[in-house]
Amino acid sequence: MFSLVALKCTTILCMSLCAGGIFLFPLLAPGLIEHLHLTQPQLSTIALAGMAGQYPFSFVVGWLFDRYGPQLCSFLAAVMFSAAFGLSASELSSTPGHSERPGAAVAWRLTIYFAMAGLGTVLSYFAFVFSATKTFTRYLTIASGVTMALFGLSPLFLSYIASKFFSDSSTGVLNISQFLQFLAMSTGVVNLAGAFTLVIPSSATTSSTSNSSATNNDANEQSPLINRETAPDCMQDPRDNSTLEFLRDPYFWILAFYMVMILGACEMIISNVGTIVISLPSQFIQTLTSEGEQVASLQVKILSVSNTLSRLLVGPVADFVSPVFSYQHPEGFTTVTKHRMSRMVFLSGSASLLAITCAWMVFGVQTRHDVWLLSVGTGITYGAVWTVLPGVTCSVWGIRNLARNFGLIAYSPFVGTPIFSYVYALIVARHTLQGMTCKGRICWESTFIFSLGTSLAALAITAILWRKWSGRM
């Protein structure tokens, strides 16, 4: 039994560290320009296809996971990753060096391939995150936080592999074709391994609360959802609703609105922290030309570290003070350990921290070296919200359809990020002279006033949800 769990954990570790290939596009872009003569709009379209490919199918992938388990998701991820990266590598290797052929058809094919890689990412993500949470139901938030943190480290891990083994030691130039071939093979192998190992032991698949044939059959089909420690009767859990009933719950939409405002603002900041830094003056009188870029790079690292650490720390704390509610017949809603605090504390705290961060940008920041608090606050907020969200979803709407429900809520940043990003972009454009870079607080001050208002609105939303879900969270 222990060896099977260890094998599953090893597979989850490998899958999470290999799943961030689409985030390495900045490493690939220079080579694509040199070898395929792609334009910046074409490159942006390819990158957007990879990023956007994660979102449209999150509900479908969640439904697949809940209905058929992680093995099918892992197998499909292996197919998508191998095909996407393999075909991209073939596209490069079949093109003569410095070819002058038009790049429109090539760009179109690469757009399709990276969209496939984006779909592979969400398939793999759901497979390893929810395999972990539904295996270790007693420590659900720890499991989700650790796997999400490892996924967040994936681009760093893969970029190290790229520079160490696939870059010229003298020039530092990346061999894109060989690296893409490596991604095709590695992601294919680890996700194919998940198709065989991401299962719950048979000893943990029997419900102790029902002896009917129908319930036993359902328990076998839904075995990944059941843990021996809790053994919930999924058929009798009043939280198990259809998709339509879930969407009719007004508090789902209220929670989604909170996510739109918090995650939308965070992802806008993550995407634009570099330009925010460069718009500000240095605290030194004389600076190097590259000083702005160095500070921007530092802020990106601070964001990454804050995001990762918050996921690793918030998970254990949340599971200790706010264990997830399960349903057992006839006891009703129970927790495996003492419930000390509502999980809404973490959502309220995240909204408060983001509001403080935005207020600092509006009233405190004067030089580019003051932006570190923005990076820390955004990273902690972003990591904490994503970490506690599976536990919130599970406590309110049950574990049986956790992946489906999480997938629906995960559409929130797909709505929020474009809204906040366009607000930022339009304000910057309004204060930028043609052919020049926007300089000064005026470039983004109005954006953070807007974000401060939405953060306070999100904080008010948590008060509504806290009152509604009292005793269930």
Side-chain angles (χ1 to χ4, degrees):
M1 177 66 178
F2 176 78
S3 61
L4 292 176
V5 173
L7 180 60
K8 176 190 283 189
C9 290
T10 301
T11 303
I12 290 173
L13 171 65
C14 294
M15 289 175 64
S16 58
L17 287 177
C18 292
I22 60 171
F23 301 107
L24 299 179
F25 190 79
L27 296 180
L28 308 178
L32 296 177
I33 294 174
E34 179 181 359
H35 293 286
L36 302 179
H37 302 283
L38 301 181
T39 64
Q40 185 59 53
Q42 289 172 332
L43 290 172
S44 298
T45 302
I46 296 169
L48 181 60
M51 298 297 293
Q54 302 174 82
Y55 288 107
F57 298 101
S58 59
F59 162 69
V60 176
V61 173
W63 179 85
L64 283 175
F65 184 99
D66 289 330
R67 182 66 178 86
Y68 299 104
Q71 293 173 289
L72 177 61
C73 291
S74 297
F75 175 76
L76 293 176
V79 173
M80 288 294 168
F81 274 139
S82 295
F85 293 130
L87 289 170
S88 297
S90 176
E91 198 70 50
L92 280 161
S93 60
S94 63
T95 303
H98 304 286
S99 172
E100 297 296 334
R101 74 175 187 176
V106 177
W108 175 248
R109 289 194 292 270
L110 287 175
T111 300
I112 295 174
Y113 300 156
F114 271 78
M116 292 168 58
L119 178 55
T121 301
V122 73
L123 283 163
S124 184
Y125 180 87
F126 272 65
F128 63 73
V129 169
F130 291 108
S131 291
T133 57
K134 292 185 177 182
T135 298
F136 305 102
T137 54
R138 187 169 183 175
Y139 307 103
L140 187 148
T141 311
I142 297 176
S144 63
V146 170
T147 50
M148 289 178 182
L150 290 171
F151 175 67
L153 292 175
S154 176
L156 182 63
F157 170 74
L158 292 176
S159 63
Y160 172 79
I161 296 294
S163 61
K164 184 71 174 178
F165 299 104
F166 297 96
S167 297
D168 188 280
S169 57
S170 58
T171 64
V173 176
L174 176 65
N175 189 320
I176 302 177
S177 180
Q178 290 185 6
F179 181 59
L180 287 172
Q181 290 173 7
F182 163 76
L183 287 179
M185 289 186 291
S186 59
T187 54
V189 168
V190 298
N191 283 279
L192 191 60
F196 291 97
T197 60
L198 297 185
V199 292
I200 299 297
S202 58
S203 59
T205 63
T206 304
S207 173
S208 62
T209 58
S210 176
N211 294 321
S212 69
S213 175
T215 303
N216 288 336
N217 287 338
D218 185 75
N220 289 332
E221 292 174 1
Q222 300 293 336
S223 57
L225 312 184
I226 300 175
N227 182 282
R228 169 171 281 190
E229 294 177 303
T230 57
D233 182 359
C234 293
M235 294 298 292
Q236 298 186 23
D237 191 334
R239 299 172 298 180
D240 293 338
N241 295 321
S242 66
T243 302
L244 184 59
E245 291 172 322
F246 177 68
L247 293 174
R248 285 175 176 170
D249 186 345
Y251 293 95
F252 156 73
W253 295 103
I254 294 175
L255 177 61
F257 193 42
Y258 168 91
M259 300 289 288
V260 165
M261 291 189 288
I262 296 297
L263 296 183
C266 285
E267 293 193 355
M268 176 272 294
I269 295 169
I270 291 170
S271 300
N272 296 285
V273 67
T275 57
I276 292 171
V277 167
I278 294 174
S279 70
L280 287 165
S282 172
Q283 64 182 3
F284 305 109
I285 297 176
Q286 293 183 343
T287 62
L288 297 174
T289 304
S290 61
E291 190 260 351
E293 286 75 10
Q294 292 173 353
V295 176
S297 176
L298 175 62
Q299 299 307 318
V300 172
K301 292 176 182 177
I302 293 174
L303 265 167
S304 178
V305 171
S306 301
N307 182 14
T308 301
L309 289 179
S310 69
R311 293 174 191 263
L312 293 175
L313 295 176
V314 168
V317 173
D319 280 340
F320 176 73
V321 301
S322 307
V324 173
F325 279 85
S326 61
Y327 181 81
Q328 296 185 24
H329 181 77
E331 290 88 352
F333 295 108
T334 62
T335 58
V336 293
T337 59
K338 183 180 179 181
H339 192 272
R340 298 172 175 83
M341 185 185 300
S342 172
R343 196 165 282 243
M344 292 305 299
V345 168
F346 296 95
L347 295 184
S348 298
S350 297
S352 300
L353 178 58
L354 186 59
I356 293 171
T357 301
C358 293
W360 168 249
M361 292 299 294
V362 174
F363 302 109
V365 169
Q366 298 298 328
T367 70
R368 60 184 55 164
H369 298 275
D370 298 330
V371 180
W372 66 271
L373 184 59
L374 171 69
S375 301
V376 172
T378 302
I380 293 175
T381 299
Y382 191 71
V385 171
W386 276 121
T387 300
V388 301
L389 182 60
V392 170
T393 307
C394 185
S395 284
V396 177
W397 293 290
I399 196 171
R400 187 181 187 187
N401 298 307
L402 174 60
R404 181 203 69 187
N405 298 340
F406 180 89
L408 285 168
I409 295 175
Y411 280 122
S412 301
F414 190 52
V415 176
T417 302
I419 293 174
F420 281 86
S421 296
Y422 277 112
V423 167
Y424 174 83
L426 292 173
I427 291 174
V428 169
R430 182 181 178 183
H431 298 287
T432 303
L433 297 176
Q434 187 173 2
M436 300 181 66
T437 302
C438 187
K439 295 293 183 180
R441 290 169 48 90
I442 196 172
C443 300
W444 41 259
E445 190 172 43
S446 298
T447 301
F448 282 100
I449 292 174
F450 172 71
S451 299
L452 173 59
T454 56
S455 300
L456 294 175
L459 180 61
I461 283 177
T462 62
I464 298 173
L465 296 177
W466 198 329
R467 180 177 180 180
K468 170 62 179 179
W469 292 335
S470 177
R472 293 271 302 278
M473 185 66 59

